[in-house]
Amino acid sequence: MKRMKFKYAYQLFFTQFIILLIACIMIGLLVSHSLKDYFYQSQVDDLTSYGETIAMDIRHSPQDATAQVLNTYQRILDVKRIHYTIKNADDETIYPTQMNQPLPKDFSISAEDKKKLKSGETVSKKIDNRFNQEMTIVYVPLMNGDNFVGSIVLNSPISGTEQVIGTINQYMFYTILLSITVALILSAIISKLQVNRINKLRAATKDVIEGNYQTRLKENNIDEIGALAVDFNKMTTTLEASQEEIERQEKRRRQFIADVSHEMRTPLTTISGLTEGLVNDIIPKTETDRCIALIDTEARRLTKLVNENLDYEKIRSNKIRLQKKRFNAREFLALIKEQLDYVATEKGNEIKLDVDGKMNIYADYDRLTQVFINIVKNSVQFTENGQITLAGYQDYKESVLTITDTGIGMNTEELEQIWERFYKADMSRTNTAFGESGIGLSIVKQLIEYHDGTITVSSEPNKGTCFTIRLPFFQDNEQ
């Protein structure tokens, strides 16, 4: 059974409606109750004031004028719908004199309230009489010094007060109803706006799922949804850059595979042809030694291609361990020059040394040899009838080594990409077997970084290239 969805806009709307309704009901009840208490207390204060005034006049009026004073007060209070009765200390009615029947039971007070009354305190209470009409009753004590001699009982219906409270409640109801209506309209508008923003985010997310990483949302930081839009744009920017990088690497990988396949096909074809010729005695005996040497050369070339790839994977997965030691820089560079002189000579190049005979290097000898042979072969590859200089000097706590050539150089775009795996310079600019795999400089950079060193390159088209290697140099007491 498919579960029914409850839209977020409706959730916001009904949540705010319920909150507003509960708040308005609570405010209405609180205000109504407060008004009742206020009017009741106000009426108690008025009745108490009248009672105290009557008690004062009774004490100060002559005996024969007391009845006249009381009748005058009764006529005045009748206008305000206030009735009063005077009782003696025995709770007998002494005014009005024509009142033969006792006061209703509702007018009686508790024993505790009687004690308060006899001690001179005013007592008040609210009752519902037999006509279901609320009344306020106030008992004002009559004292002769400290002696309790009687009480004045004043009562007044609360009907007028109830009417006032009812009118106020009515106006308050209309005000609350109007406020709720306006608030709900605003709530509906705000909910719609918020849901629209969420829907835009959903639509953008669907675009990303479909592979469109160029999707962007309008940014603002006014709330969490705005912050989410900012984070979403950062995510899509990162994804777009990653996608571009993946496509670029994939393109290079395909080119690399094509290049390696082509480069491996040539020596394999040569080896296969020469082997077949030797087996079938097609090649003259006088050429046998040359053929074997050529087979050996091509086999070494294949071995180099395979080893270079294996080296990269070892370095990338951090499976190599450096065996660092101190050795003389000039002797090291002289050996590199000796190994590659024949290659440089074939292209009319000359390798020169420019290094102090006392300079030392602290590094893994074999791995640093691998680095220099790779870079120097690249320099030879892109230099013709020029010069390659291997130089070095001691800097503060660093050994600085440079390989400078006078070759064709590189432009800015090539400089930014030469350290990336599978990157290979324009095929039209390569014409030898050296550096053909396109992963040599990637290996070089990681090997130098394993030495806690740095390698940088500067170049200008048609002017040459300079690689600078900086390796930490440790004194004897720091080894």
Side-chain angles (χ1 to χ4, degrees):
M1 184 177 177
K2 189 176 181 180
R3 192 172 181 179
M4 186 176 177
K5 290 184 178 180
F6 189 37
K7 290 188 176 180
Y8 182 61
Y10 296 154
Q11 293 181 39
L12 286 176
F13 182 80
F14 284 116
T15 301
Q16 293 172 10
F17 171 75
I18 292 171
I19 292 172
L20 281 170
L21 185 61
I22 293 173
C24 289
I25 290 173
M26 292 180 66
I27 291 171
L29 291 174
L30 181 63
V31 170
S32 179
H33 181 73
S34 299
L35 285 174
K36 272 191 175 183
D37 289 345
Y38 171 78
F39 283 120
Y40 168 72
Q41 189 59 46
S42 179
Q43 194 171 44
V44 168
D45 292 342
D46 289 343
L47 293 178
T48 301
S49 178
Y50 290 139
E52 290 174 350
T53 302
I54 293 171
M56 186 180 296
D57 282 349
I58 290 175
R59 286 195 298 269
H60 294 90
S61 297
Q63 189 71 28
D64 57 351
T66 300
Q68 185 179 353
V69 170
L70 295 176
N71 289 332
T72 302
Y73 273 113
Q74 185 61 65
R75 287 193 296 273
I76 294 172
L77 294 178
D78 280 343
V79 177
K80 298 185 177 183
R81 301 180 67 191
I82 299 174
H83 181 74
Y84 74 94
T85 303
I86 300 176
K87 294 184 176 184
N88 59 20
D90 297 326
D91 208 23
E92 296 174 346
T93 302
I94 60 175
Y95 182 87
T97 54
Q98 69 274 19
M99 187 175 179
N100 298 321
Q101 296 181 352
L103 290 172
K105 290 183 179 180
D106 293 339
F107 281 58
S108 61
I109 58 176
S110 64
E112 186 179 350
D113 286 340
K114 281 184 179 180
K115 287 183 181 179
K116 291 181 181 179
L117 193 62
K118 288 180 180 180
S119 66
E121 294 183 33
T122 299
V123 177
S124 64
K125 62 185 291 188
K126 186 191 297 183
I127 65 168
D128 289 329
N129 63 14
R130 57 187 172 180
F131 301 107
N132 291 325
Q133 184 181 32
E134 283 190 337
M135 296 190 70
T136 302
I137 303 174
V138 174
Y139 299 84
V140 179
L142 290 172
M143 307 295 290
N144 185 9
D146 292 335
N147 297 320
F148 176 74
V149 297
S151 62
I152 303 174
V153 184
L154 299 96
N155 62 85
S156 176
I158 308 180
S159 59
T161 302
E162 292 288 347
Q163 290 176 358
V164 173
I165 293 174
T167 303
I168 292 174
N169 285 342
Q170 187 177 8
Y171 283 120
M172 188 169 61
F173 173 76
Y174 292 137
T175 303
I176 289 174
L177 188 63
L178 179 62
S179 300
I180 289 177
T181 303
V182 173
L184 288 178
I185 292 172
L186 292 175
S187 174
I189 294 172
I190 293 172
S191 298
K192 185 67 175 175
L193 291 174
Q194 294 293 72
V195 170
N196 284 341
R197 295 172 69 193
I198 293 174
N199 286 336
K200 288 180 181 178
L201 183 58
R202 286 185 62 200
T205 304
K206 288 181 180 178
D207 287 343
V208 173
I209 292 172
E210 293 172 358
N212 182 11
Y213 301 134
Q214 296 179 343
T215 302
R216 299 291 185 273
L217 291 171
K218 186 177 180 181
E219 295 184 4
N220 63 68
N221 287 311
I222 61 175
D223 57 11
E224 287 79 0
I225 296 179
L228 182 60
V230 173
D231 293 339
F232 179 88
N233 289 343
K234 289 179 181 178
M235 178 192 71
T236 53
T237 301
T238 303
L239 288 173
E240 184 180 10
S242 298
Q243 180 67 18
E244 290 175 355
E245 179 63 21
I246 290 170
E247 291 175 355
R248 188 165 59 249
Q249 293 290 354
E250 179 62 18
K251 183 178 179 181
R252 289 177 185 166
R253 186 188 67 82
R254 289 173 183 166
Q255 183 63 46
F256 166 75
I257 291 173
D259 292 345
V260 170
S261 298
H262 174 74
E263 288 156 4
M264 292 182 74
R265 187 183 297 114
T266 301
L268 284 172
T269 301
T270 302
I271 292 171
S272 176
L274 292 173
T275 304
E276 185 179 351
L278 290 172
V279 171
N280 296 322
D281 293 327
I282 298 174
I283 298 173
K285 296 293 183 181
T286 55
E287 296 292 326
T288 299
D289 291 341
R290 190 180 70 82
C291 289
I292 292 173
L294 188 56
I295 289 172
D296 180 65
T297 301
E298 295 300 324
R300 290 176 182 275
R301 184 179 174 189
L302 284 173
T303 302
K304 175 183 176 295
L305 288 171
V306 173
N307 288 340
E308 200 170 41
N309 280 278
L310 292 175
D311 270 352
Y312 182 85
E313 292 304 324
K314 284 182 181 179
I315 294 169
R316 194 184 63 154
S317 56
N318 197 21
K319 289 183 178 179
I320 64 167
R321 294 293 179 266
L322 300 180
Q323 302 295 325
K324 292 184 181 181
K325 63 180 180 179
R326 189 184 314 284
F327 50 90
N328 183 270
R330 186 172 183 84
E331 292 176 0
F332 170 75
L333 294 178
L335 184 60
I336 299 295
K337 177 179 182 303
E338 183 181 343
Q339 290 182 21
L340 298 176
D341 259 338
Y342 79 97
V343 177
T345 304
E346 287 181 356
K347 295 197 64 179
N349 295 322
E350 181 184 5
I351 299 178
K352 287 189 174 182
L353 298 182
D354 182 12
V355 58
D356 188 345
K358 296 181 180 180
M359 178 183 172
N360 288 329
I361 304 171
Y362 183 71
D364 184 305
Y365 191 93
D366 292 334
R367 291 299 177 181
L368 193 61
T369 300
Q370 185 180 3
V371 166
F372 266 80
I373 287 180
N374 201 308
I375 296 176
V376 175
K377 280 186 175 181
N378 273 285
S379 296
V380 171
Q381 178 185 3
F382 295 108
T383 304
E384 195 165 348
N385 299 319
Q387 181 176 296
I388 295 134
T389 304
L390 308 182
Y393 62 91
Q394 195 70 52
D395 199 357
Y396 178 70
K397 288 191 176 182
E398 283 184 329
S399 299
V400 183
L401 302 166
T402 62
I403 302 99
T404 307
D405 65 58
T406 57
I408 59 177
M410 290 178 282
N411 57 36
T412 304
E413 183 180 354
E414 289 174 321
L415 282 175
E416 292 175 352
Q417 301 180 72
I418 61 170
W419 306 117
E420 297 181 18
R421 190 186 185 191
F422 304 134
Y423 177 75
K424 186 173 182 180
D426 187 351
M427 290 296 294
S428 64
R429 301 171 62 189
T430 62
N431 52 15
T432 75
F434 305 110
E436 62 273 354
S437 65
I439 62 171
L441 290 180
S442 180
I443 293 176
V444 164
K445 185 175 178 64
Q446 292 205 39
L447 283 174
I448 295 300
E449 288 175 351
Y450 279 145
H451 280 82
D452 298 319
T454 61
I455 180 168
T456 57
V457 58
S458 59
S459 183
E460 289 186 44
N462 302 317
K463 290 188 177 181
T465 302
C466 177
F467 287 87
T468 302
I469 298 172
R470 294 179 179 272
L471 298 173
F473 182 79
F474 298 90
Q475 300 298 330
D476 290 334
N477 58 357
E478 293 178 329
Q479 291 186 37

